[in-house]
Structures are given as structure tokens and as C-alpha cells.
Amino acid sequence: PRVGPPRLSKAVAGAAVLLEREDGRVALAARRAGLGRVLAWCLPASDRGALAWPELGRLAGQSARAAMA
């Protein structure tokens, strides 16, 4: 489906910003939803800065573990 161009957004009340870009944009946020946890990765999959970051794989693994705990 077509979703249109990305829009600027910010973390909702009650969310914890876990990772932020140098310009202040949220990159990763977490929040409880019902009985579960939600992690929001707020960068496009093709983001050059994120892809070049050597700790990206570690962050993804730890984020998945935290969401499943």
C-alpha cells in the first residue's frame, strides 16, 4: 500500500526516548502498551548513519530481548 512521504513526529507522553540523533530527532523510543512493550525504530531502513554505526546489530538484539522480557 502507498503510505506517502515520511512525516516529522515526536515521542508521545509516557514514552522513553532511548536513542536520539545529533539534531534531536528521535531514533528509538519505548513505551508500554496494554500488557506488552513497544519499541519504535524511527529511522528509515536505508539511513546511512544508522547503517554505518558498528553497534547497530547489538542494539537490535538487545532491543528485541527487552521487548520480549
Side-chain angles (χ1 to χ4, degrees), residues 51-63:
L51 292 175
W53 188 39
E55 297 296 324
L56 182 60
R58 184 175 176 194
L59 172 69
Q62 289 178 344
S63 297

Side-chain angles (χ1 to χ4, degrees), residues 3-63:
V3 295
R7 296 178 297 192
L8 292 176
S9 63
K10 58 184 178 181
V12 297
V17 175
L18 304 175
L19 186 63
E20 220 174 37
R21 298 292 299 251
E22 290 175 349
D23 62 4
R25 290 181 297 161
V26 175
L28 180 66
R31 181 173 184 214
R32 291 197 58 87
L35 298 176
R37 296 180 184 144
V38 176
L39 293 171
W41 179 253
C42 305
L43 298 174
S46 62
D47 184 83
R48 288 186 205 152
L51 292 175
W53 188 39
E55 297 296 324
L56 182 60
R58 184 175 176 194
L59 172 69
Q62 289 178 344
S63 297

